[in-house]
Amino acid sequence: MSFTVEGTVVSNVNEAYCFAAWCNPFEIFKAELSSSDSEKKAVYAIAMRGTDSSWDKENPLSIPVCLLAACARDNSYLRLMKKMISEYIPKGSDLVFIGHSLGGMISQQLGADEEIRNSYKILNILSIGSPYVVFAGKKCPLRRMATVSDVIPNAFGLLGFFNYFAGDVIHENTGYFFNPLGAHCDSYEKEDAWKKYDCFGIENGGHSLEITEIIYKK
């Protein structure tokens, strides 16, 4: 599936994972949000990917940035996102965040950022395979999706093993118990586990995003 083509529809967690995981490091789209109980509305969808395992502190996808984000500390990825949102998205717009791993932590930090919250309306944060960032994301709807065997969302971050219970987390057992990389990445593409959750992370929720325009791609 490609998210560089207008008309692409993101309707469930499987597709949302690909939407975030394939960004480099993030992309901003105009989209039409559909739901079962309201008319279509124009939104900006922001997709954020995870770490590239670099140790370069200047790289927003690096492991040092990942560690800072896990502790809810300021970091270069967060600053970059705030800058790009303010430059490319009109104030007062409706935002939808979808992030995988590090991207999910950054989306939670953005949801708790006073400047972003005062300038935009955040409709939903979908955090896939990400730890709970303490106190972040609670000013707007936050839904964390976590495979049971994925240690990153369940045992990493400031809360350690309490991450298994922290935040609005939804667990599914998709296997991969002896495959850490597969649990953190491939398990979120298993349709039998995740397709019942819409792109907001709501079971049988009926939300979908149709991409209408690429605003920014890095």
Side-chain angles (χ1 to χ4, degrees):
M1 180 181 295
S2 172
F3 293 102
T4 61
V5 179
E6 294 177 0
T8 296
V9 176
V10 181
S11 60
N12 56 50
V13 167
N14 306 87
E15 295 166 353
Y17 164 75
C18 295
F19 185 49
W22 293 352
C23 292
N24 189 30
F26 70 91
E27 297 178 9
I28 300 174
F29 301 86
K30 275 187 179 179
E32 283 193 342
L33 174 65
S34 300
S35 64
S36 56
D37 57 357
S38 64
E39 296 182 354
K40 288 184 177 181
K41 67 183 303 183
V43 301
Y44 286 84
I46 303 169
M48 291 167 278
R49 58 160 289 184
T51 180
D52 63 4
S53 301
S54 164
W55 286 95
D56 180 3
K57 294 180 180 180
E58 303 302 317
N59 177 3
L61 299 180
S62 69
I63 291 176
V65 170
C66 194
L67 295 173
L68 288 171
C71 296
R73 300 290 300 275
D74 183 48
N75 59 79
S76 59
Y77 199 170
L78 177 63
R79 293 192 297 272
L80 175 63
M81 287 304 310
K82 290 179 61 175
K83 180 176 184 293
M84 294 297 100
I85 289 171
S86 65
E87 287 185 5
Y88 287 91
I89 302 179
K91 298 293 190 294
S93 298
D94 292 331
L95 307 184
V96 174
F97 292 120
I98 299 174
H100 170 245
S101 193
L102 171 57
M105 290 190 286
I106 299 300
S107 69
Q108 293 177 53
Q109 288 190 282
L110 288 168
D113 185 86
E114 185 174 359
E115 183 179 348
I116 295 295
R117 288 191 287 108
N118 289 341
S119 300
Y120 303 94
K121 182 179 180 181
I122 304 173
L123 301 182
N124 193 74
I125 296 173
L126 178 63
S127 179
I128 303 170
S130 308
Y132 180 64
V133 178
V134 180
F135 303 128
K138 303 307 290 184
K139 302 296 184 180
C140 56
L142 164 66
R143 296 178 178 91
R144 290 175 55 227
M145 319 304 288
T147 295
V148 171
S149 52
D150 186 354
V151 298
I152 299 299
N154 293 319
F156 185 63
L158 193 58
L159 290 180
F161 284 101
F162 291 104
N163 260 300
Y164 189 89
F165 306 100
D168 300 316
V169 61
I170 296 171
H171 284 105
E172 288 288 343
N173 186 353
T174 61
Y176 294 91
F177 288 102
F178 302 103
N179 183 355
L181 182 59
H184 189 52
C185 298
D186 299 342
S187 68
Y188 298 105
E189 294 190 49
K190 294 195 70 173
E191 292 188 4
D192 56 342
W194 298 110
K195 69 179 180 181
K196 61 185 176 184
Y197 301 101
D198 68 11
C199 66
F200 274 24
I202 301 172
E203 188 170 1
N204 302 317
H207 292 88
S208 64
L209 290 163
E210 182 177 353
I211 307 305
T212 58
E213 183 181 349
I214 301 171
I215 302 300
Y216 182 88
K217 178 181 176 67
K218 181 175 176 63

